[in-house]
Amino acid sequence: MADERILRREFLKGAAIAGTAAATAIAPATEAAAQSAPPKPQAPPAASADSDAMVTLSPAEQAFFTAAADTIIPADDLSPSGSDCGVVTFIDRQLASAWGGGAKMYRSGPFRKPPGEGFGYQLALTPREFFAAGITATNAWLKKTRGKEFDRLSLKERDEVLKVMDQGKAELQNFDGKQFMEALLDITMEGFFSDPIYGGNKNKVSWRMIGYPGLPATYANMMDLYRNKLYKPEPQSIADFS
Amino acid sequence: MATRLKEVDAVMVGMGWTGSIMARELTKAGLNVVGLERGPDIKPAEDFAMPHIRDELRYVQRLEIIQDPAMETLSFRHRPSEQALPMRRMGSFLPGNGVGGAANHWGGQHWRYLPSDHQTRSNILNRYGAKALPEDMTVQDWAMTYDELEPYYDRFEKLCGVSGKAGNLRGQKVDGGNPFEGARQNDYPTPPVKMTESALMYAKACKELGYHPFPQPASTISQPYTNTEGLALGGCQYCGHCERAGCEANAKAGPHICVLPVLRADPKFELRVHSWVSRLTYDKAAKKVTGVVYTDTRTGEEYEQPAGMVVLSAYVFGNIGLLLHSGIGEPYDPATQKGAVGRNYCYQLSRIGLTMFFKDKNFNPFMGSPGSMMVIDDFDGDNFDHTGLGFFGGCRIQTGHGEGRPIAYRPTPPGTPRWGSAWKKAAVDNYQHALSIGMSGSNYANRNNYVDLDPTYKDQLGRPLLRLTYNFVENDYKLAEYCMSKVVEIAKVMNPTVMGSPRLRKGDYDIVPYQSTHNTGGTIMGTDPKTSVVNRYLQSWDASNLFIMGASTFPQQPAYNPTGPVGALAYWAADAIVSKYLKNPGPLVHA
């Protein structure tokens, strides 16, 4: 655990700088006030883009996603853990967004169980509701079979549980464990690899890790210059150009 | 009650490629034209600008500029006996939303169809005999030949500034181009785009095997170009963000930069956005449409727009739907094979191919465009002998890079776990080193693949959803397997460090993973009103002042992307309207 913390500090060194810039962009008036006088103790906490405060997730959901993100993306010599990279913040904001509320989904009934494969999502639940129900069902199943909720399990046990779910062998009540696992894996990877403006991929940690340069992506000259040669500049994100 | 507006000469339903081209040609001929667009106006300078256009989550994952299924989607089933369920999220295909349509987010692969693709049925019958054609394969000929359409292919290429290298100039084969293409009067307007290392490696292996690699023709163009409307396009920046996003460099041809600036300045043209056409008004006895009814999606107000001529220039499903919602023509019934509206729905055989890993190569997969590919057409269409193979059609087979966006692109060798430290290590170790050979296969018409109206589900206007009945059939599986054997052969010559497993077609069609936005058919062209919806000028058999554009008029889908012929057909139809129809309104072909 101590090692993880050191790793986190090293990986996120640059994040504080980026965080300051983002906060400035959000509230220039507040910033001016902050420069003239120290913040008063009764002032509400600043809505910082770097804040880890949850918008929509309950403490139990936050604990679940933290445990899941840290199992899918464990801390190792390649990156800090998923939650330390901001994946839970990302998931929270996504589930609070229009997408989380079911935007760009056809939500008219009747809702029917598909007669076979290939029909896609057929539930009435929005992504927000889907994850809430999935977490409840998973924790109830684990309580019954292992006596503990997901976030109380060790990393090794959580990894085993995810494998069972991925193989479609989790016996969740009224919920499809495989479908839940797919959605969990998708949103975790989105959080890890998307532009940091959404709260995940703090300090562009995943981009640096795989060697994705991000922006500005104008490569007309690089195509020949870097033919079969590694092009690995310091990655830049949308915030770096805003 | 709909507010009745003043009659105009012509109405375009949808302002993508075909609506824009047709509006331009008709205003040039002196007509007053209204362009109705369901979605918002889109202005590339604002909407496709840096840095936000480089946002993979917003454009690729959350489908920012794609049709909203909450407004309109379709229901889907594999076979007529099955219960259809709505496609609740966009997946397999991604129609556009707003002015510019799907051309805003296309990849710019710009093809002409092969001469034999224009005569699929008669070509099979002539070459392989009448008994060779399976009974349920309802392929038909186009209503015009390649040679007839050639000048219009040429015209559309010059509008876009397409980059490429001719392989057949006026009948003379040219080294380095596609030797199988139909004769071209002119070379491409601009030279080929830059190729990736992977494309060159692939081309070398293909040559060793005696195949004929050539650069992908691309409307993500290689250098600045002034088009036939006097409008300027930029050169491709190889940013790797083409598909599902707009182009900030003005290098990807689309109506916004190739036609609309001229139209927007023309007093004879009026663009109305947020205007969703619910139906056409139809005088069945006179065999004419009298206009359209549309809803302003900002206010809910309904308007009737009378028009002398209506052009259906929506996406494939929009065109089919408007005929069915308006009672124009007879809906297709697979049991009797009667009725033409909705028949011969086809798609594209994609998401098949093979990924390899080369330890000593650095591909920089984020650099490139969908045009930065080398292609072989040796196993496309009827370019090879199908005797005894048990299928018709083929694949174009290609390799390149340019979509290295990391949420979606994280290739790992077979056997890699899906998460955890071992996955992470494999993702890191392979990001630079993976190469995929991709295939795009033809999809020939089958009597059980069609579109009609759903009995249960409704769209936001309260109209029935379209119901798609579709599955791959034996022909598709065999075709994919045969072409894959060629891919494996090429892959072996390329000699990778790690060979991946072939991705083949297995089981029923799955409407979830993205495959291609190359849906075709449903309002097909032909010479017989019993088996086609429009004649060779894309004029409706059931209403002489109704013209239907786009890939919904294709009788089946060859292996290529459809935009090239879609643009060519728009110019072809416009030419017929201006030079023949306007002088003597009425049916241009008598059945």
Side-chain angles (χ1 to χ4, degrees):
Chain A
M1 204 59 201
D3 286 349
E4 274 184 34
R5 293 228 169 93
I6 293 163
L7 266 172
R8 180 190 180 182
R9 276 202 298 277
E10 276 181 14
F11 272 103
L12 301 181
K13 257 179 212 162
I17 303 159
T20 312
T24 309
I26 286 171
T30 314
E31 189 214 25
Q35 275 172 2
S36 59
K40 289 172 188 164
Q42 69 267 36
S48 162
D50 202 33
S51 161
D52 287 332
M54 295 290 108
V55 180
T56 181
L57 295 183
S58 71
E61 290 170 333
Q62 184 182 1
F64 179 92
F65 279 123
T66 304
D70 295 354
T71 314
I72 293 168
I73 301 157
D76 54 25
D77 57 350
L78 290 169
S79 82
S81 70
S83 63
D84 279 349
C85 293
V87 167
V88 181
T89 306
F90 170 89
I91 293 173
D92 175 59
R93 290 179 193 173
Q94 284 297 302
L95 295 184
S97 73
W99 175 80
K104 289 213 160 187
M105 269 177 76
Y106 179 79
R107 297 188 62 218
S108 300
F111 291 88
R112 292 179 169 134
K113 195 172 152 54
E117 298 288 312
F119 290 84
Y121 191 77
Q122 290 298 333
L123 304 178
L125 305 174
T126 65
R128 176 70 185 92
E129 294 163 344
F130 174 86
F131 278 108
I135 290 171
T136 303
T138 303
N139 276 335
W141 165 62
L142 290 174
K143 196 101 201 209
K144 208 166 105 185
T145 54
R146 293 181 182 245
K148 283 181 195 169
E149 294 179 331
F150 185 70
D151 61 284
R152 305 281 164 147
L153 301 174
S154 71
L155 176 63
K156 189 166 166 286
E157 290 170 316
R158 295 195 310 256
D159 192 60
E160 285 166 19
V161 166
L162 293 187
K163 278 195 185 113
V164 173
M165 292 175 75
D166 190 43
Q167 288 158 0
K169 290 179 186 160
E171 286 169 3
L172 309 193
Q173 202 169 5
N174 297 330
F175 216 76
D176 182 336
K178 169 83 179 152
Q179 191 183 18
F180 181 56
M181 181 61 208
E182 287 297 324
L184 188 60
L185 201 53
D186 282 351
I187 200 166
T188 303
M189 292 300 179
E190 284 175 349
F192 192 43
F193 286 106
S194 69
D195 192 285
I197 57 169
Y198 293 98
N201 191 14
K202 271 189 190 166
N203 199 24
K204 297 162 272 194
V205 61
S206 73
W207 290 4
R208 196 171 289 114
M209 181 184 90
I210 59 167
Y212 176 67
L215 282 65
T218 44
Y219 300 127
N221 298 323
M222 318 291 187
M223 284 286 285
D224 293 325
L225 229 60
Y226 285 90
R227 178 172 303 289
N228 197 21
K229 281 189 207 129
L230 188 66
Y231 178 73
K232 202 172 178 183
E234 175 66 16
Q236 299 192 84
S237 75
I238 290 170
D240 296 324
F241 287 80
S242 301
Chain B
M1 212 37 212
T3 305
R4 195 179 155 88
L5 304 170
K6 195 167 155 276
E7 178 161 342
V8 296
D9 296 327
V11 162
M12 310 292 119
V13 183
M15 283 304 293
W17 266 129
T18 63
S20 299
I21 288 173
M22 193 58 96
R24 173 66 179 136
E25 295 306 300
L26 296 184
T27 49
K28 262 180 14 193
L31 270 58
N32 285 304
V33 177
V34 165
L36 298 176
E37 168 54 49
R38 170 168 68 185
D41 200 358
I42 289 177
K43 302 244 171 73
E46 296 156 30
D47 296 311
F48 302 157
M50 277 275 284
H52 289 280
I53 201 65
R54 300 280 195 264
D55 186 341
E56 185 186 10
L57 186 76
R58 179 175 172 182
Y59 291 94
V60 181
Q61 301 297 115
R62 302 286 180 261
L63 306 176
E64 174 80 11
I65 57 173
I66 307 301
Q67 181 179 315
D68 182 355
M71 284 181 84
E72 187 181 17
T73 183
L74 38 82
S75 70
F76 161 71
R77 57 183 181 175
H78 296 104
R79 45 193 74 83
S81 60
E82 215 167 57
Q83 162 80 50
L85 293 176
M87 180 172 70
R88 296 188 180 276
R89 283 179 172 140
M90 287 294 170
S92 179
F93 41 86
L94 302 173
N97 184 46
V99 173
N104 293 332
H105 70 272
W106 72 316
Q109 296 183 332
H110 192 132
W111 293 96
R112 297 177 174 198
Y113 287 177
L114 296 166
S116 58
D117 288 336
H118 287 254
Q119 283 153 306
T120 303
R121 186 178 191 88
S122 54
N123 182 65
I124 291 172
L125 296 181
N126 291 341
R127 188 166 175 185
Y128 304 101
K131 283 184 191 152
L133 191 68
E135 205 191 336
D136 62 350
M137 187 184 279
T138 52
V139 289
Q140 293 183 194
D141 288 358
W142 282 42
M144 75 291 289
T145 64
Y146 169 84
D147 288 341
E148 285 177 302
L149 202 57
E150 200 281 334
Y152 303 91
Y153 275 123
D154 186 67
R155 211 171 148 192
F156 185 50
E157 286 166 2
K158 287 175 178 154
L159 184 79
C160 297
V162 186
S163 296
K165 180 165 176 54
N168 181 349
L169 262 180
R170 296 175 283 278
Q172 294 291 314
K173 299 284 161 133
V174 184
D175 268 356
N178 180 7
F180 299 101
E181 71 176 346
R184 314 167 54 88
Q185 292 309 300
N186 296 296
D187 204 336
Y188 288 92
T190 53
V193 296
K194 289 176 193 282
M195 290 297 140
T196 60
E197 176 70 5
S198 49
L200 299 182
M201 286 165 62
Y202 169 73
K204 186 167 166 279
C206 288
K207 264 194 191 153
E208 271 180 54
L209 289 164
Y211 303 143
H212 302 85
F214 63 94
Q216 163 76 47
S219 268
T220 52
I221 67 173
S222 58
Q223 61 187 45
Y225 172 76
T226 302
N227 81 357
T228 39
E229 296 287 356
L231 299 168
L233 281 76
C236 180
Q237 295 301 310
Y238 305 89
C239 72
H241 287 263
C242 255
E243 292 192 50
R244 305 195 191 185
C247 177
E248 51 91 20
N250 269 1
K252 182 167 78 176
H256 279 296
I257 52 172
C258 295
V259 194
L260 281 161
V262 180
L263 266 183
R264 287 181 197 267
D266 186 338
K268 290 199 160 298
F269 175 73
E270 187 195 342
L271 174 66
R272 291 183 207 153
V273 294
H274 299 290
S275 299
W276 186 358
V277 175
S278 55
R279 65 190 164 90
L280 277 55
T281 50
Y282 180 44
D283 183 340
K284 196 170 183 175
K287 283 200 161 190
K288 285 197 169 217
V289 289
T290 53
V292 304
V293 175
Y294 70 92
T295 299
D296 185 323
T297 60
R298 294 162 298 193
T299 61
E301 295 277 333
E302 198 172 58
Y303 297 92
E304 182 180 348
Q305 176 61 67
M309 181 195 303
V310 174
V311 175
L312 290 185
S313 46
Y315 193 65
V316 170
F317 298 111
N319 289 352
I320 305 170
L322 281 169
L323 293 185
L324 293 171
H325 295 312
S326 313
I328 301 171
E330 189 186 343
Y332 173 71
D333 178 353
T336 60
Q337 287 191 276
K338 285 198 174 122
V341 182
R343 72 180 273 137
N344 280 33
Y345 170 83
C346 296
Y347 192 41
Q348 191 98 71
L349 196 61
S350 47
R351 223 182 150 80
I352 46 180
L354 178 65
T355 302
M356 295 168 270
F357 300 86
F358 294 82
K359 191 163 66 71
D360 300 324
K361 290 280 176 184
N362 288 296
F363 292 123
N364 296 320
F366 38 83
M367 286 184 197
S369 79
S372 307
M373 287 190 172
M374 293 295 281
V375 185
I376 60 164
D377 256 356
D378 297 70
F379 302 100
D380 191 348
D382 203 32
N383 295 342
F384 57 106
D385 187 359
H386 288 72
T387 306
L389 295 181
F391 69 88
F392 292 111
C395 284
R396 83 188 143 86
I397 308 175
Q398 76 267 332
T399 291
H401 273 102
E403 288 225 305
R405 298 175 287 201
I407 299 175
Y409 184 82
R410 291 177 273 111
T412 52
T416 303
R418 300 179 75 199
W419 65 81
S421 283
W423 157 76
K424 208 193 288 176
K425 185 169 189 315
V428 170
D429 287 349
N430 290 286
Y431 183 67
Q432 275 285 349
H433 311 299
L435 176 158
S436 286
I437 302 181
M439 300 150 78
S440 169
S442 55
N443 186 222
Y444 283 175
N446 184 278
R447 68 177 287 179
N448 288 322
N449 288 337
Y450 70 107
V451 177
D452 65 353
L453 292 180
D454 189 272
T456 307
Y457 294 97
K458 303 268 197 293
D459 69 16
Q460 221 173 51
L461 291 175
R463 306 174 306 172
L465 292 187
L466 287 193
R467 175 172 64 180
L468 171 63
T469 303
Y470 180 75
N471 210 353
F472 293 116
V473 298
E474 199 58 30
N475 193 75
D476 306 304
Y477 298 121
K478 282 187 177 165
L479 184 170
E481 208 168 308
Y482 177 80
C483 292
M484 184 62 82
S485 70
K486 306 298 173 186
V487 168
V488 170
E489 178 190 30
I490 299 165
K492 281 181 184 156
V493 172
M494 292 178 79
N495 193 25
T497 321
V498 176
M499 180 76 86
S501 332
R503 289 188 303 277
L504 265 173
R505 276 282 158 209
K506 293 262 158 41
D508 284 344
Y509 168 61
D510 186 342
I511 204 158
V512 178
Y514 183 74
Q515 284 149 76
S516 84
T517 308
H518 305 162
N519 317 78
T520 67
T523 74
I524 68 174
M525 65 172 99
T527 51
D528 181 352
K530 286 199 188 73
T531 53
S532 62
V533 170
V534 293
N535 65 28
R536 73 192 232 107
Y537 301 111
L538 309 191
Q539 180 184 39
S540 162
W541 293 113
D542 297 291
S544 61
N545 59 344
L546 172 64
F547 292 82
I548 306 177
M549 302 294 108
S552 61
T553 65
F554 297 0
Q556 57 276 323
Q557 170 63 339
Y560 299 120
N561 312 44
T563 300
V566 162
L569 284 173
Y571 275 123
W572 158 272
D575 196 25
I577 292 169
V578 172
S579 66
K580 298 190 177 83
Y581 176 84
L582 291 180
K583 287 172 191 154
N584 185 17
L588 292 168
V589 177
H590 290 277

